[in-house]
Every structure is written in structure tokens, then in C-alpha cells.
Amino acid sequence: MNQSIMFQPLMLANGTKIKNRFMKPAMSEVMGDARFRPTARLIALYRAWANGGTGLLITGNVMIDAQAISEKGNVVIEDDRDLPLLQEWAKAGSVNGAQTWVQLNHPGHQAAKHVALHPVAPSAVPLEGPNAFAFNPPRALTIEEIPLEEIHEIVAKFARSAAIVKMAGFGGVQIHAAHGYLLNQFLSPLSNRRTDDYGGSLENRMRIIEEVYLAIREQVGAAFPVGLKINSSDFRAGGFSEAESIQVIHRMAHLGVDLIEISGGNYENTVIQGDNRKGAFFIDYAAKAKAGIDTPIAVTGGFRTLHGMETAVTNHETEMVGLARATALIPDLPNQVKKGAFTEINLERLSTGLPCLDRKAGAYIGLSYYEMQMVRIAGGKPVKLTKNAWRPLCFAFHTQGWSVLMPQRA
Ligand SMILES: Cc1cc2nc3c(=O)[nH]c(=O)nc-3n(C[C@H](O)[C@H](O)[C@H](O)COP(=O)(O)O)c2cc1C
């Protein structure tokens, strides 16, 4: 029996037990079918990951509204019409003592042009950055703001989706308030220019997140885990700052969120896909965020060595270790650790051999590479390690057609 601290179970305050400290954070699998339903492939992927020994699996972002998806291949949960399929997915994700929580998301203005003609956002502020051309500007209403009823509708949709997730037998939900999607857009003064109760002060900018959490809690009850994913900062001048992020974490911990995952940046500023030289990206921030709260934290981003993971857990810098890309390359990473067969993973940067194309499409190539591996894992095939970016690009073209030429995220 491997004595690694990574195999110590984690008890949440509501009595939920997570069997070990390995967490597979959300990675959009883009495996939903044309009607936004989970496919057999997606279900097989979660069975494989659960069998691989990870204690907590967070699904790729699932949309709460079919009218507001972020990209082709999203799964949507807005009513109970697909309950039998969702039940199958939940069952596959709970084999081998694993827990699977569904990440719930609304993209706001970060929705690719070909799927969102009129995206909504806290304010009519278009996306910035080199990929901005691929996104329609968010809908500008009469007073350039979403009317309040629409905000209340979105809150209710989060809660409805969570109720169905619970009904289907999943272990929990995670509210996605990171990476530049709608709830993150509300938090950032750069994208939230509202002058009503949902904009201005931090208290106002985080109001929708509090409301989403409370509405979900009312639907699912005290014993059902509700997590939150939040950026440590937007890493943009004038954006959502580290000090503000800590305040949000403390407020949400006080309200009763069961597990807080810390990540960072957005697809305009891809700290979330940093390279592997820096070690865990957000560990110093996590230490500050944890001071004064008891809510367990999961740090995601940059963990590459077993030693680094064990040190972070031993020092109480994090309770859970989020391994996204690593779990897409080594789906049974915890089992490998148990056997003493894992010490470190190296995430190679892929290249087309054309520096200009690499610069332009680097982030997208990275995503396609991991999407390709997820398809292989689901099909029972070994992952295919390569530094050659053409293979994932061909894969993306094969699965998504011409839309692959347009960035799906900012
Ligand atoms: C292919 C891919 C898809 C992703 N999709 C999501 C997503 O749907 N929701 C989310 O919160 N994060 C998403 N992420 C970000 C990861 O959860 C994680 O924050 C990031 O990859 C850094 O962790 P890592 O260094 O362990 O890979 C995605 C990452 C990748 C590589």
C-alpha cells in the first residue's frame, strides 16, 4: 500500500468523503451530440477516469441553457429530458469509489461566433485580444445592460440544472466563475460596467454568484456538495484583482460552499495553460486565500511532480490537487502513483514547425491535443504523445470541420 499523503481521504463539512486528494478539473470534452446530450463516448471517458483512481472528477463545463452555449459539442442540462443518459454518465463517473461533479456554466460573451449570434454579458463590452474577431459583441440592450429579469432567469437556470444533476445521481456540482465566462465577467470591472445592484462595488459584482449559490443550495439541500471555481485574478490591469478574489472566496466560504477551486486568467490571458516550469501556479495565492476559512481548497494549474503535490497537501497549502492536462495524458495517474510508477510529468509544447502559426494557434493547438487524447481514452486506446501539432490540428478539423479555423475561446 502506497503511503503517499495523496491517498488520505478528504471529508467535506457536509459529511461527503472524497477518497483521495487527486482531482481531475473540468476539461471541455466537446463530446456532446448535436442535441447537446452526453454521448456513449463521454460516458466511457468518465468510466475510464474513475477506474484510473482519481477521487474527484469535475466534468467539462456543462451549459445551463441551450440558447447560450460556448462551443459545438457542449452538453446542456436545462430540463430532465435526458435524465436516463445523465444517469448513465453519473453511474460511470462513480465506479471505483470516485465522485463526479458537474461543472455548470454560462458563457456570457465568450461564445464562439458560429454558435452565438447575440451573446449576452453584464455590459455591452466586446472581448479584447487577438482572437476577438471570432466572437460577436455582446447584445447591447436599451440601457446597454441585461434587464434584471434576465439575470434572475439565469440564476434560476443554474439552480434548475443543479437539481437535475442531483436527480441524475452525480456526486455534486461546481459553479464555474473563472476563465472569463459569464460569472467571471460580472466579477471583473473591465467587463462589468453596470450601475445597478449588479455592478460597481465588489459586493454588487459578486451578487449574482451569491444568488446562484443560494438558489442551487435551496434546490439540492445541505448534504449535496456545491463547489466553486474562481480565478485568483484576471491578470489584467483594472481587472478582477487578487485582493478581491480573496474577499469573494471568504464570502462564499461563509455562505457554505463545500470546495473552492482556484485557477487563474482567462482565454485572453492564458495563465490557465501555462508551461510547466513554474510549478503550481497559484499556490502562494492559495495560502493567502485559505487564511481564516475552513473550507477546503483545490489548487489547479501547473502541478507536475508527485513531490510538489505531496508537499502542497502536507503543508496544508491545498486540500485537493487539480491535475487537468496530466490526467488527459495519464488517465490512471493515481493508480500509477500507488504502484510507484509515477514521479513526474512533462507537458511538451507542440509545434507545427511554422513559428508564425504556432504563435497564432498555440492555445488552440494545446486544447485540441488534449481533446484528441480524451477521445482516445474513451475508446480504450492509449494516449498518443507527440510534439507535432499537425496531428491534433487534423483531429480538430476532422471532428469540427471548418469551424476549427475560428478560435472557440478568446
Ligand atoms: C482541453 C481543455 C479544456 C478545458 N476546459 C475547461 C472547462 O470546461 N472548465 C474549466 O473550468 N477549465 C477548463 N480547462 C482548464 C483546466 O481545468 C485547468 O484549469 C488548466 O488546464 C490548468 O491546469 P493543468 O495545469 O493541471 O492542466 C480546460 C483545459 C484544457 C486543457
Side-chain angles (χ1 to χ4, degrees), residues 8 10 22 26 33 58 67 94 97 123 154 170 185 187 216 266 275 291 298 300 302 306 309 320 326 340 360 366 374:
Q8 257 182 26
L10 176 69
F22 292 99
D33 69 13
I58 311 283
Q67 301 306 315
S94 65
S123 306
I154 285 170
F170 285 98
Q185 290 158 30
L187 286 174
I216 288 179
N266 50 43
D275 60 36
T300 289
L306 178 60
M309 300 171 205
M320 295 295 295
K360 272 205 154 63
M374 289 190 269

CSV table of all heavy atoms in Angstrom, one decimal, residues 8 10 22 26 33 58 67 94 97 123 154 170 185 187 216 266 275 291 298 300 302 306 309 320 326 340 360 366 374:
chain,number,residue,atom,x,y,z
A,8,GLN,N,-4.8,10.0,1.4
A,8,GLN,CA,-5.7,10.3,2.5
A,8,GLN,C,-7.0,10.8,2.1
A,8,GLN,O,-7.0,11.8,1.3
A,8,GLN,CB,-5.0,11.4,3.4
A,8,GLN,CG,-4.3,10.8,4.6
A,8,GLN,CD,-3.7,11.9,5.4
A,8,GLN,OE1,-4.2,13.1,5.4
A,8,GLN,NE2,-2.7,11.6,6.2
A,10,LEU,N,-10.5,12.9,2.0
A,10,LEU,CA,-10.9,14.3,2.5
A,10,LEU,C,-12.4,14.2,2.8
A,10,LEU,O,-13.2,13.8,2.0
A,10,LEU,CB,-10.6,15.3,1.3
A,10,LEU,CG,-11.1,16.7,1.7
A,10,LEU,CD1,-10.2,17.3,2.7
A,10,LEU,CD2,-11.1,17.6,0.4
A,22,PHE,N,-6.6,13.5,-5.3
A,22,PHE,CA,-6.4,13.7,-6.7
A,22,PHE,C,-7.8,14.2,-7.3
A,22,PHE,O,-8.8,13.6,-7.1
A,22,PHE,CB,-6.1,12.4,-7.5
A,22,PHE,CG,-4.7,11.9,-7.2
A,22,PHE,CD1,-4.5,10.9,-6.2
A,22,PHE,CD2,-3.6,12.5,-7.8
A,22,PHE,CE1,-3.2,10.4,-6.0
A,22,PHE,CE2,-2.3,12.0,-7.5
A,22,PHE,CZ,-2.1,11.0,-6.6
A,26,ALA,N,-12.2,20.4,-14.5
A,26,ALA,CA,-13.0,20.5,-15.7
A,26,ALA,C,-12.1,20.6,-17.0
A,26,ALA,O,-11.2,21.4,-17.0
A,26,ALA,CB,-14.0,21.6,-15.7
A,33,ASP,N,-23.7,15.5,-28.2
A,33,ASP,CA,-24.1,15.4,-29.6
A,33,ASP,C,-24.8,16.6,-30.1
A,33,ASP,O,-24.8,17.7,-29.4
A,33,ASP,CB,-25.0,14.1,-29.7
A,33,ASP,CG,-26.4,14.3,-29.0
A,33,ASP,OD1,-26.7,15.4,-28.6
A,33,ASP,OD2,-27.1,13.3,-28.8
A,58,ILE,N,-14.3,16.5,-12.1
A,58,ILE,CA,-15.2,17.5,-12.4
A,58,ILE,C,-15.4,17.5,-13.9
A,58,ILE,O,-14.5,17.5,-14.7
A,58,ILE,CB,-14.6,18.9,-12.0
A,58,ILE,CG1,-14.0,19.0,-10.6
A,58,ILE,CG2,-15.7,20.0,-12.3
A,58,ILE,CD1,-15.0,19.1,-9.5
A,67,GLN,N,-29.7,27.9,-25.4
A,67,GLN,CA,-29.6,29.2,-26.2
A,67,GLN,C,-28.3,29.9,-25.9
A,67,GLN,O,-28.0,31.0,-26.5
A,67,GLN,CB,-30.8,30.1,-25.8
A,67,GLN,CG,-32.2,29.6,-26.0
A,67,GLN,CD,-32.3,29.1,-27.5
A,67,GLN,OE1,-31.9,29.7,-28.4
A,67,GLN,NE2,-32.9,27.9,-27.6
A,94,SER,N,-19.0,7.2,-11.1
A,94,SER,CA,-18.9,6.9,-9.7
A,94,SER,C,-18.4,5.5,-9.4
A,94,SER,O,-18.3,5.0,-8.3
A,94,SER,CB,-20.3,7.0,-9.0
A,94,SER,OG,-21.2,6.0,-9.6
A,97,GLY,N,-15.4,4.0,-6.5
A,97,GLY,CA,-15.4,4.9,-5.3
A,97,GLY,C,-15.1,6.4,-5.7
A,97,GLY,O,-14.9,7.2,-4.9
A,123,SER,N,-22.4,43.7,-19.4
A,123,SER,CA,-22.4,45.0,-20.2
A,123,SER,C,-22.0,44.8,-21.6
A,123,SER,O,-21.4,43.7,-21.9
A,123,SER,CB,-21.5,46.0,-19.6
A,123,SER,OG,-21.7,46.2,-18.2
A,154,ILE,N,-31.3,33.6,-15.3
A,154,ILE,CA,-30.0,32.9,-15.4
A,154,ILE,C,-29.7,32.2,-14.0
A,154,ILE,O,-29.4,31.0,-14.0
A,154,ILE,CB,-28.9,33.8,-15.8
A,154,ILE,CG1,-29.0,34.2,-17.3
A,154,ILE,CG2,-27.5,33.2,-15.5
A,154,ILE,CD1,-28.1,35.3,-17.8
A,170,PHE,N,-25.3,12.3,-9.8
A,170,PHE,CA,-24.0,12.8,-9.7
A,170,PHE,C,-23.6,13.1,-8.2
A,170,PHE,O,-24.6,13.3,-7.4
A,170,PHE,CB,-23.8,14.1,-10.5
A,170,PHE,CG,-23.7,13.8,-12.0
A,170,PHE,CD1,-24.8,13.9,-12.8
A,170,PHE,CD2,-22.5,13.4,-12.6
A,170,PHE,CE1,-24.8,13.7,-14.2
A,170,PHE,CE2,-22.4,13.1,-14.0
A,170,PHE,CZ,-23.6,13.3,-14.8
A,185,GLN,N,-17.2,37.4,-15.8
A,185,GLN,CA,-17.4,38.7,-16.4
A,185,GLN,C,-18.1,39.7,-15.4
A,185,GLN,O,-17.8,40.9,-15.4
A,185,GLN,CB,-18.3,38.6,-17.7
A,185,GLN,CG,-17.6,37.9,-18.8
A,185,GLN,CD,-18.5,37.3,-19.9
A,185,GLN,OE1,-19.6,37.7,-20.1
A,185,GLN,NE2,-18.1,36.2,-20.5
A,187,LEU,N,-17.7,39.6,-12.2
A,187,LEU,CA,-16.7,40.0,-11.2
A,187,LEU,C,-15.7,41.1,-11.7
A,187,LEU,O,-15.3,41.9,-10.9
A,187,LEU,CB,-15.9,38.7,-10.8
A,187,LEU,CG,-16.6,37.7,-9.9
A,187,LEU,CD1,-15.7,36.5,-9.7
A,187,LEU,CD2,-17.0,38.3,-8.6
A,216,ILE,N,-29.0,27.4,-5.9
A,216,ILE,CA,-28.7,26.0,-6.0
A,216,ILE,C,-28.9,25.3,-4.7
A,216,ILE,O,-29.4,24.2,-4.6
A,216,ILE,CB,-27.2,25.8,-6.5
A,216,ILE,CG1,-27.1,26.3,-8.0
A,216,ILE,CG2,-26.7,24.4,-6.4
A,216,ILE,CD1,-25.7,26.2,-8.6
A,266,ASN,N,-7.9,34.0,-18.0
A,266,ASN,CA,-9.0,33.7,-18.9
A,266,ASN,C,-8.4,33.4,-20.3
A,266,ASN,O,-7.1,33.3,-20.4
A,266,ASN,CB,-10.0,34.8,-19.0
A,266,ASN,CG,-9.3,36.1,-19.3
A,266,ASN,OD1,-8.4,36.2,-20.1
A,266,ASN,ND2,-9.6,37.2,-18.6
A,275,ASP,N,3.1,27.0,-19.0
A,275,ASP,CA,4.0,25.9,-19.2
A,275,ASP,C,4.4,25.3,-17.8
A,275,ASP,O,3.9,25.7,-16.8
A,275,ASP,CB,5.2,26.3,-20.0
A,275,ASP,CG,6.0,27.4,-19.3
A,275,ASP,OD1,6.1,27.3,-18.1
A,275,ASP,OD2,6.6,28.2,-20.0
A,291,ALA,N,-6.3,31.6,4.6
A,291,ALA,CA,-6.2,32.2,6.0
A,291,ALA,C,-7.5,32.6,6.4
A,291,ALA,O,-8.2,33.4,5.8
A,291,ALA,CB,-5.2,33.3,5.9
A,298,ALA,N,-9.0,23.5,-3.6
A,298,ALA,CA,-8.3,22.7,-4.6
A,298,ALA,C,-7.5,23.7,-5.5
A,298,ALA,O,-8.1,24.7,-6.0
A,298,ALA,CB,-9.3,22.0,-5.5
A,300,THR,N,-5.5,24.2,-8.9
A,300,THR,CA,-5.3,23.6,-10.2
A,300,THR,C,-4.3,24.5,-11.0
A,300,THR,O,-4.4,25.7,-11.0
A,300,THR,CB,-6.7,23.6,-10.9
A,300,THR,OG1,-7.5,22.7,-10.3
A,300,THR,CG2,-6.5,23.3,-12.4
A,302,GLY,N,-0.5,23.6,-13.1
A,302,GLY,CA,1.0,23.6,-13.0
A,302,GLY,C,1.6,22.5,-12.2
A,302,GLY,O,2.8,22.3,-12.2
A,306,LEU,N,5.1,14.5,-8.3
A,306,LEU,CA,4.4,13.9,-7.1
A,306,LEU,C,4.9,14.6,-5.8
A,306,LEU,O,4.1,15.0,-4.9
A,306,LEU,CB,4.7,12.4,-7.0
A,306,LEU,CG,4.1,11.7,-5.8
A,306,LEU,CD1,2.6,11.8,-5.8
A,306,LEU,CD2,4.5,10.2,-5.8
A,309,MET,N,3.1,17.8,-5.3
A,309,MET,CA,1.7,17.6,-4.9
A,309,MET,C,1.7,17.3,-3.4
A,309,MET,O,0.9,17.8,-2.6
A,309,MET,CB,1.1,16.4,-5.7
A,309,MET,CG,1.0,16.7,-7.2
A,309,MET,SD,0.5,15.1,-8.0
A,309,MET,CE,1.2,15.4,-9.6
A,320,MET,N,-7.0,19.6,-2.1
A,320,MET,CA,-7.1,18.8,-3.3
A,320,MET,C,-6.1,19.3,-4.3
A,320,MET,O,-5.8,20.5,-4.4
A,320,MET,CB,-8.5,18.8,-3.9
A,320,MET,CG,-9.6,18.3,-3.1
A,320,MET,SD,-9.5,16.5,-2.8
A,320,MET,CE,-9.7,15.8,-4.4
A,326,ALA,N,-2.5,16.7,-17.1
A,326,ALA,CA,-1.8,15.5,-16.7
A,326,ALA,C,-2.7,14.3,-16.7
A,326,ALA,O,-2.4,13.2,-17.1
A,326,ALA,CB,-1.2,15.6,-15.3
A,340,GLY,N,3.9,3.1,-7.5
A,340,GLY,CA,5.2,3.7,-7.5
A,340,GLY,C,5.8,4.0,-8.9
A,340,GLY,O,7.0,4.1,-9.1
A,360,LYS,N,0.1,32.0,-33.5
A,360,LYS,CA,-1.3,32.4,-33.7
A,360,LYS,C,-2.3,31.3,-33.1
A,360,LYS,O,-3.3,31.7,-32.5
A,360,LYS,CB,-1.6,32.5,-35.2
A,360,LYS,CG,-1.4,33.8,-35.8
A,360,LYS,CD,-2.3,34.0,-37.1
A,360,LYS,CE,-2.6,35.4,-37.4
A,360,LYS,NZ,-1.4,36.2,-37.7
A,366,GLY,N,-3.1,23.5,-28.3
A,366,GLY,CA,-3.0,22.8,-27.0
A,366,GLY,C,-4.3,22.2,-26.6
A,366,GLY,O,-4.4,21.0,-26.2
A,374,MET,N,-8.6,12.7,-25.0
A,374,MET,CA,-9.8,12.3,-24.3
A,374,MET,C,-10.6,11.3,-25.2
A,374,MET,O,-11.2,10.3,-24.7
A,374,MET,CB,-10.6,13.5,-23.9
A,374,MET,CG,-10.0,14.3,-22.8
A,374,MET,SD,-11.0,15.6,-22.1
A,374,MET,CE,-10.6,17.0,-23.0
